[in-house]
Amino acid sequence: MRDTPTVRPGARLRPVRPAGWWFDVLLLVGFVAITVALANGLLFGLDRAVDQWAAGHRPPAAFHTAVVFNYLGQGGPLTLLGAGLAVLLAVRLRSVRPLLVPVAAFALTTFTIGPLKVWTARPAPSASVKEPYLPVERTLPLFADDLPVRFAQSYPSGHVANAIVWYGVLALLLAPLLATLGRRMPPRLVLALRIGPPVVVLFTTTYLGWHWLTDSVAGLLLGLLLDRLLHRVPWDDLPLPGRLREFDRPFTTAP
């Protein structure tokens, strides 16, 4: 008979804060509301006002500092860092379960953020001052389908959404990794890791004119929603096939 995967008894979704699904619904409604508003030509005044203020308060020192801090939201390095921590934890625990986290995070962000950017086809504020040098009024609306894809991928902000998801992944992996070394990750450090970088990225990506304010807010809402979905997953109880069950030691409760 085929050896089928089984689920550990008593498997249930992991708790998140705030508890319940009402907050997830609120995040989704907020994201849809911003998208619908932009599709109907609303909020452009707010976006333009914030961009004009930032452009008028962007001395060279502040600009270069913001560029450096904006690297905190680079999806590629964050993905590699998350994968590296997962591999290290997997080796220390002799368990494949930590590897599931970055794989799921990569799949979830790839199949949500990317397609949304292509579908909404919104230019960035900077598209008026560098290639393709659009008139300002053309950089604000969604669905600029006549532009090449590389010039119309501003909404939602991938930097902000990725920062929320991947720093959540890092926090999820770092705590059990430190536990295997006999160390404890302070809750305040977990909170700082999950909140600090995304806030910095949201501010810098808007300040630099690389995204409209509504792009960043939409990225914030989407990122929080994806983060809550990932943190609900019962990683220690997911079914594993065949021989992988020989390396199924739990990690979220690692001693």
Side-chain angles (χ1 to χ4, degrees), residues 48 51 123-137 139 212:
R48 187 67 183 138
D51 182 62
S126 56
S128 65
V129 295
K130 64 181 183 180
E131 196 177 6
Y133 298 103
L134 300 174
V136 173
E137 61 273 12
T139 61
W212 300 106

Side-chain angles (χ1 to χ4, degrees), residues 18-170:
W21 291 92
W22 66 270
F23 193 67
D24 303 72
V25 173
L26 189 63
L27 292 171
L28 181 59
V29 169
F31 178 81
V32 171
I34 292 176
T35 306
V36 171
L38 291 172
N40 285 277
L42 303 177
L43 303 178
F44 290 174
L46 174 62
D47 276 336
R48 187 67 183 138
V50 171
D51 182 62
Q52 287 178 328
W53 180 91
H57 297 79
R58 201 184 289 150
F63 173 83
H64 292 298
T65 301
V67 169
V68 171
F69 278 102
N70 191 254
Y71 280 108
L72 290 171
Q74 287 287 346
L78 286 174
T79 301
L80 293 175
L81 182 57
L85 286 179
V87 169
L88 183 57
L89 182 58
V91 170
R92 291 192 62 84
L93 292 177
R94 295 183 56 81
S95 172
V96 299
R97 292 191 178 277
L99 303 177
L100 302 177
V101 181
V103 170
F106 179 79
L108 191 59
T109 53
T110 298
F111 292 107
T112 53
I113 300 171
L116 282 170
K117 282 176 168 291
V118 174
W119 175 61
T120 54
R122 189 187 200 190
S126 56
S128 65
V129 295
K130 64 181 183 180
E131 196 177 6
Y133 298 103
L134 300 174
V136 173
E137 61 273 12
R138 283 203 60 200
T139 61
L140 286 159
L142 303 184
F143 310 123
D145 298 316
D146 57 324
L147 293 175
V149 172
R150 68 182 186 278
F151 295 135
Q153 294 191 54
S154 187
Y155 183 89
S157 169
H159 270 62
V160 175
N162 274 315
I164 294 171
V165 171
W166 284 104
Y167 283 101
V169 167
L170 296 182

Side-chain angles (χ1 to χ4, degrees), residues 193-210:
L193 181 62
R194 297 192 64 186
I195 294 178
V199 170
V200 170
V201 171
L202 187 150
F203 172 79
T204 56
T205 199
T206 306
Y207 174 72
L208 291 167
W210 294 350

